[in-house]
Amino acid sequence: MCRGVFALVFLLALAAGHGSRAQDSSVLIRLRNSCSFSVWAAWTTDPGVSNPFSSGTELSADETFSLFVPRDWSGRFWGRTGCSWRQAPGSSTSRFICDTGDCGSGDISCSKRGTPPATIAQLNLPARYSVSLLEGYNLAISIAPRNSSCSWAGCKSGSDANSGCPKELAVVDKSNIGRVIACKSPCLGLNEDQYCCRGRYTCPLKCSPSQYARAFKAACPRSSTYPCEANTSSYSCLGASEIIATFCPP
C-alpha cells in the first residue's frame, strides 16, 4: 500500500508542476521481478539533474512496481539482495542492510548510489538506456521500451554471471560459505591498469576486453563489461513512453 501511495504522490506532484501536460512530460517505468526470490529495487537521480527523484521498494517474486519519472530524467536502477532489518553489534536500533547493492541509508529507500558490485540499469531520457557491469554484477537485468521495435539492453534470459565468477572476484555469502552472491568487476577486484583501461592501457586502442569481461559479456551480451565500452554499449529509443526493467529476465 505504501508503495502505491508513494507512486501516486509523485504522479500528483508531476501534475501540479506541469498541469494538463503531466502525462505527456513523464515516462512510465515498470520494475519487474522475475526472480524466484525477493529483490529490493532502488533508483537514484544522476548528479546535477533537475527533478531529483530517488527511492526504493521491495519486489516479491513475480511482482511489478510502476513509477513515473520526468521525460528528461537521468538516473540509475539496481537490485539489492539479501536485505533485512538487522541490529548492529552494540546498538539498540535496527538498520535496513542488504548483502549486495546496499546504499548505506539504513532504510528501504536510497538517496545515494549502492555499493559495488551491483548490476546497473542506466536511463538518460528522453532516449538513451543501457546496462553496465563496470561496477560488477549481482543480478541479471534487462531493460527495454515497451511496444516498440527498439532493442533491449542487458542480460539474456536465464543468465547468471555469479555461477561462473572466478574466485578472485567472487563475493561469498557470509552465512552460507561457498554461495556466490555477487561478482566484482576486474577493475574493482584486481585494481590493475590493464583491467581499468588506465595508464598505458588507454581507450580505445590499447585496452581490450579481458577474459573476465568476456565472461560477463556471455551472460549480458548487450551491456558494458569493460571501461572502453562505457560509451558504446547504450541504446536509443526516442519517444518511448514506457520502459520495462526486468530482474532475472525470463
Side-chain angles (χ1 to χ4, degrees), residues 50 123 133 144-145 173:
S50 59
L123 289 182
L133 275 64
D173 187 349

Short mmCIF file of all heavy atoms in Angstrom, two decimals, residues 50 123 133 144-145 173:
data_model
loop_
_atom_site.label_atom_id
_atom_site.label_comp_id
_atom_site.label_asym_id
_atom_site.label_seq_id
_atom_site.Cartn_x
_atom_site.Cartn_y
_atom_site.Cartn_z
N SER A 50 18.04 18.05 -12.76
CA SER A 50 16.89 18.65 -12.10
C SER A 50 15.86 17.57 -11.79
O SER A 50 15.94 16.45 -12.30
CB SER A 50 16.27 19.73 -12.99
OG SER A 50 15.86 19.18 -14.23
N LEU A 123 19.35 5.07 -17.24
CA LEU A 123 18.47 5.80 -18.15
C LEU A 123 18.98 7.22 -18.33
O LEU A 123 19.29 7.89 -17.34
CB LEU A 123 17.04 5.85 -17.60
CG LEU A 123 16.21 4.57 -17.57
CD1 LEU A 123 14.81 4.88 -17.03
CD2 LEU A 123 16.11 3.96 -18.96
N LEU A 133 28.04 -3.45 -16.33
CA LEU A 133 28.67 -4.34 -15.36
C LEU A 133 30.03 -3.77 -14.95
O LEU A 133 30.87 -4.49 -14.40
CB LEU A 133 28.84 -5.74 -15.95
CG LEU A 133 27.63 -6.69 -15.82
CD1 LEU A 133 26.44 -6.17 -16.60
CD2 LEU A 133 27.99 -8.09 -16.30
N ALA A 144 14.10 -2.50 -21.62
CA ALA A 144 13.63 -2.31 -22.98
C ALA A 144 12.38 -1.44 -23.01
O ALA A 144 11.54 -1.52 -22.09
CB ALA A 144 13.31 -3.65 -23.63
N PRO A 145 12.24 -0.60 -24.02
CA PRO A 145 10.99 0.13 -24.22
C PRO A 145 9.89 -0.87 -24.58
O PRO A 145 10.14 -1.88 -25.23
CB PRO A 145 11.29 1.05 -25.41
CG PRO A 145 12.78 1.13 -25.45
CD PRO A 145 13.27 -0.21 -24.98
N ASP A 173 28.48 -15.34 0.25
CA ASP A 173 27.51 -15.18 1.33
C ASP A 173 28.16 -15.57 2.66
O ASP A 173 28.63 -16.70 2.83
CB ASP A 173 26.31 -16.07 1.06
CG ASP A 173 25.17 -15.86 2.04
OD1 ASP A 173 25.38 -15.17 3.07
OD2 ASP A 173 24.08 -16.39 1.79
#
